[in-house]
Every structure is written in C-alpha cells, then in structure tokens.
Amino acid sequence: MASEARAAGAGRLAIYPGSFDPLTNGHVDIISRGARLFDRIIVAVLVNAEKNPLFTMEERLEIAREVFRDQPHVEVDTFEGLLVDYVARRKAQVIVRGLRAISDFEFEFQMALMNRRLNSGIETVFMMPAEQYTYISSRLIKEVFALGGQVSGLVPDTVEARLREKQAGLAPGR
Ligand code: PNS
C-alpha cells in the first residue's frame, strides 16, 4: 500500500488525530517529530469531540494553522465519524498517537487494536514527547489556567493569549 502511494507520488502520509482543546506543546512536539518521519502529517481535529469544548472548532483550527504556518509538511484538517474512514479517505497509511505515560497505554492499545480490526491496512505508530511534556494534557492546562496557575512554556503563545482573552471575557463564544 505504501509503495503504491509512493508510486503515485503521494509520499508517506500520517494522520495525527485528536480533540486539541487546546493544542499543547506536547502535541506540537509529537507533530514536529512526525513531520521528520513522514513526508506529510495531517493534524486532524475531531468535530464534536466534547459537548462543551473551551475552544470552538474554528479556534482550534486557527491555532494549529498559526503554529504550523511555516511547516509546509504539516496540514490541518477536521474529521467526523470513524477515524479509519477518514484515514482511508485521505489515502494515508499511518495514525500517529503520542504516549506520555503508562496510564495512556490501556486506552491507546484498545483504540489501536480496534482501528486495526476496522481497517488492517492502517498502522498506528506511537511516539513519545520530550520528557518535559510528559505530564501535560489539554484538560490539565485548562484547569490550571482557570485556577490562576501559569501555563507558559506548556502551550504555544497563541493558546496562552487566547486563554487570557477568554478569561477576560474579551472573546465571547470562545
Ligand atoms: O485527543 P483525544 O481526545 O485523545 O483523541 C481521541 C480521538 C479523536 C483519536 C478518538 O476519539 C477518535 O479517533 N475518534 C473518532 C471516532 C472513532 O473512530 N472511534 C473509534 C476509535 S477506536
């Protein structure tokens, strides 16, 4: 399958799916590592991942596009429905997921094997972020920021600025 894609000039394409509410430096680290391994990586933001996301879909797309605007091998897109169907539609071969700690493993293992059962032509590749990001999650970032804690260095600058805007009530709907 990969050789067919290469023959077609598509190169090796990976999908990095997630909710990204919001994008953290842990995500950015994994995407940058993925961009070195694959010819192209698509950051695929799940539509309606949570009932009450802090950031709208448009904001999450804007953030990712802003962060990766100078990296032509990184594309930002949305997807709905089954991940494997999206991966197949994009003619990708690989799903990239980050593994931070053993606690991630159980759910990731279940998802990877379910996705393999649904489409055996797609492989899941796990990557570890740099050590300084192994404890970060979008959920913790939102909680710490809401309670007045510092998140500098843990999220891209644009995310921090947007968190501040939301806190100040400057961005209704955000
Ligand atoms: O960042 P997240 O929330 O950990 O990402 C989870 C995500 C989006 C990868 C997962 O929920 C997903 O793939 N959802 C799409 C629906 C789907 O395919 N479900 C079956 C997965 S085995």
Side-chain angles (χ1 to χ4, degrees), residues 49-66:
E50 277 183 63
K51 286 200 183 92
N52 274 320
L54 180 63
F55 289 92
T56 64
M57 175 54 67
E58 289 68 33
E59 289 170 320
R60 283 181 273 157
L61 288 174
E62 264 174 39
I63 290 167
R65 289 193 173 124
E66 194 178 325

Side-chain angles (χ1 to χ4, degrees), residues 17-20 46 79 81-84 97 107-108 111 114-115:
S19 315
F20 306 111
L46 176 63
F79 80 104
L82 277 181
L83 174 60
V84 287
R97 292 288 288 171
F107 178 58
E108 294 298 334
M111 275 209 305
M114 179 59 84
N115 283 331

Side-chain angles (χ1 to χ4, degrees), residues 25-26 29-30 33 100 128-136:
N25 282 347
D29 182 272
I30 295 287
R33 287 172 199 279
R100 292 164 299 190
M128 284 172 291
E131 300 88 275
Q132 69 263 34
Y133 302 131
T134 47
Y135 61 92
I136 305 176

Side-chain angles (χ1 to χ4, degrees), residues 25 66-67 151-164:
N25 282 347
E66 194 178 325
V67 170
V151 296
S152 318
L154 303 180
V155 291
D157 291 346
T158 182
V159 170
E160 198 180 345
R162 286 163 189 261
L163 284 167
R164 281 190 207 295

